[in-house]
C-alpha cells in the first residue's frame, strides 16, 4: 500500500474546520437515505459505462435516459445537473490519469466544480462515489488525498453553506485507502 502525500500545516487547518461535514460509508451512494444528490462519474457522452453511473441509469425512468441521450458532450471536470429525480444527479467527467503534472489539478477541478454546482442548486447533502475508478484508473493513493483536501478547502471557503459530504465506497481495497485517509482527516 502506498503512503499518502504529507499533510502540511495549511492542510491541517483546512481539515480541522471541515471534519464535521464529512462522513465515510462502505456502501453504494444509492443506498444512502435522505440524500439531496449523488455524484455520477461518467463518460463525456453521459453514457454509463460501469459502477454507480450504470446503477443510476438503470434505476431511473425514461425522462432521465432522454436527458442523458440529448445532453451535450461534457469536457473533463465539467459538471451537469439533473434535477428530475430524488436524489438529484450531478454528472462529472473525471480526469484520466496520464502521469502529467496537470493530473492533480484536473481532479481537484472536478471536485471543486461538483461542490459549486451543489451550492448553486441548494443541495445540502452530496454523496460522492470514488471519481478515480471510473476512467483510466487514477490511483487511489494519489486521488483520495486530493479529494479530501479539495473538499476541506471548499468547505472552509464556503463556511456559511451547510453542505454535508458523504463518501460512499464499495470496493474493499479502495475503501481501505479512504478509511486510512479519513482516519487521518478526522484525527488532525
Amino acid at each position: 500500500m502506498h503512503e499518502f502525500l504529507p499533510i502540511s500545516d495549511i492542510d491541517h487547518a483546512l481539515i480541522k474546520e471541515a471534519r464535521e461535514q464529512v462522513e465515510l460509508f462502505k456502501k453504494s451512494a444509492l443506498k444512502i437515505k435522505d440524500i439531496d444528490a449523488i455524484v455520477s462519474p461518467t463518460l463525456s457522452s453521459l453514457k454509463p459505462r460501469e459502477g454507480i453511473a450504470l446503477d443510476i441509469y438503470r434505476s431511473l425512468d425514461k425522462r432521465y435516459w432522454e436527458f442523458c441521450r440529448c445532453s451535450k458532450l461534457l469536457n473533463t471536470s465539467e459538471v451537469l445537473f439533473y434535477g428530475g429525480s430524488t436524489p438529484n444527479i450531478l454528472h462529472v467527467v473525471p480526469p484520466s490519469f496520464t502521469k502529467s503534472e496537470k493530473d492533480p489539478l484536473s481532479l481537484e477541478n472536478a471536485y471543486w466544480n461538483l461542490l459549486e454546482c451543489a451550492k448553486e442548486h441548494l443541495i445540502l447533502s452530496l454523496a460522492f462515489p470514488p471519481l478515480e475508478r471510473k476512467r483510466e484508473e487514477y490511483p487511489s493513493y494519489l486521488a483520495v488525498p486530493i479529494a479530501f483536501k479539495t473538499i476541506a478547502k471548499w468547505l472552509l471557503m464556503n463556511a456559511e453553506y451547510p453542505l454535508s459530504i458523504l463518501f460512499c465506497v464499495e470496493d474493499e481495497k479502495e475503501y481501505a485507502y479512504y478509511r486510512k485517509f479519513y482516519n487521518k482527516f478526522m484525527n488532525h
Side-chain angles (χ1 to χ4, degrees), residues 85-147:
S85 65
T86 303
N88 298 296
I89 310 297
L90 277 67
H91 297 278
V92 66
V93 179
S96 300
F97 183 65
T98 63
K99 299 181 182 175
S100 160
E101 291 179 9
K102 295 179 183 178
D103 286 347
L105 183 58
S106 293
L107 188 57
E108 183 179 319
N109 285 339
Y111 278 101
W112 195 270
N113 293 342
L114 285 161
L115 297 165
E116 287 294 313
C117 183
K119 184 177 179 182
E120 178 183 330
H121 292 282
L122 304 177
I123 290 167
L124 298 177
S125 54
L126 182 58
F128 275 95
L131 298 186
E132 67 274 8
R133 285 190 43 126
K134 304 306 170 211
R135 303 219 25 234
E136 281 51 63
E137 295 298 326
Y138 204 116
S140 293
Y141 72 92
L142 295 174
V144 173
I146 292 168

Side-chain angles (χ1 to χ4, degrees), residues 57-110:
Y57 191 79
R58 289 177 177 156
S59 72
L60 296 178
D61 60 23
K62 290 181 182 180
R63 288 179 304 157
Y64 177 71
W65 302 340
E66 189 65 18
F67 170 82
C68 290
R69 193 179 68 72
C70 295
S71 293
K72 69 179 182 86
L73 293 178
L74 296 179
N75 295 313
T76 300
S77 302
E78 189 176 2
V79 176
L80 183 63
F81 176 81
Y82 176 74
S85 65
T86 303
N88 298 296
I89 310 297
L90 277 67
H91 297 278
V92 66
V93 179
S96 300
F97 183 65
T98 63
K99 299 181 182 175
S100 160
E101 291 179 9
K102 295 179 183 178
D103 286 347
L105 183 58
S106 293
L107 188 57
E108 183 179 319
N109 285 339

